[in-house]
Amino acid sequence: MPVHHLTTPLTDTAVDALRSGDVILLSGTIYTARDAAHRRLCDALDRGEQPPFDLRGAVIYYVGPSPAPPGHPIGAAGPTTSYRMDSYAPRLHALGLKATIGKGRRHATVRKALAEHTAVYFGATGGAGALLAQRITAARVIAYDDLGPEAIRELTVQDFPLLVINDAHGGELYVTPQLPEGD
């Protein structure tokens, strides 16, 4: 499997070169957001407001980290199940979001949006939140502080280990049982 060292923000060229099964070591700035933050983000977009960070080239990590222990920027930071964000993801990809990070399979509408907008879905290892946190060098809340662990955070990562699950060409690495393709 090829190993790619990528730095955010991601470009179409970098994303287009990726294939399902590729190993990624990601560095730079990424953002956290889970269900409640996605709902608020899309509600704000519906009102014509700007998102709290530039979506163009951005990466969103589906995580609700635990509190930071003394001397660390963040606590355990393992991925959450991605399908809960599937109703929001196509809209965010259309606005320039280049990648999401989580665990589990994505709905067909998300996979279609990845192809249409040259974007990718990365898998992070579930159950390894403490190890993944070691690759996070800085963390700060930038929006929706009242959501606690689900607030949007800006993270700085160094060689954050990922696997390409869905690429921009329709490729998919099967890692979990197929989800129903409901409406």
Side-chain angles (χ1 to χ4, degrees), residues 10 12 15-16 20 22 32 37 50 60 72 78 87 114 122 130 134 137 142 145 156-157 161 170 179 181:
L10 299 180
D12 283 352
V15 170
D16 191 55
S20 294
D22 289 356
T32 69
Q50 291 297 312
I60 293 179
H72 296 273
S87 62
L114 297 177
F122 296 129
Q134 294 175 10
T137 61
I142 62 167
D145 188 38
T156 304
V157 297
L179 293 174
E181 296 289 343

Side-chain angles (χ1 to χ4, degrees), residues 66-157:
S66 65
H72 296 273
I74 200 164
T80 195
T81 306
S82 300
Y83 74 82
R84 293 192 316 261
M85 277 59 73
D86 282 358
S87 62
Y88 307 106
R91 181 177 189 185
L92 299 179
H93 285 301
L95 294 172
L97 180 68
K98 284 294 160 198
T100 57
I101 304 168
K103 66 180 182 181
R105 293 193 48 154
R106 305 309 299 268
H107 192 275
T109 56
V110 175
R111 296 189 311 266
K112 181 180 177 193
L114 297 177
E116 288 176 0
H117 304 291
T118 314
V120 66
Y121 170 54
F122 296 129
T125 304
L131 292 173
L132 291 169
Q134 294 175 10
R135 299 299 183 160
I136 300 170
T137 61
R140 70 181 179 99
V141 173
I142 62 167
Y144 317 136
D145 188 38
D146 62 302
L147 294 178
E150 292 198 35
I152 294 179
R153 286 173 172 73
E154 179 183 87
L155 305 180
T156 304
V157 297

Side-chain angles (χ1 to χ4, degrees), residues 41-63:
L41 181 59
C42 287
D43 287 348
L45 290 169
D46 288 344
R47 293 188 301 271
E49 298 171 10
Q50 291 297 312
F53 60 93
D54 190 353
L55 287 167
R56 294 170 299 174
V59 177
I60 293 179
Y61 184 21
Y62 302 145
V63 61

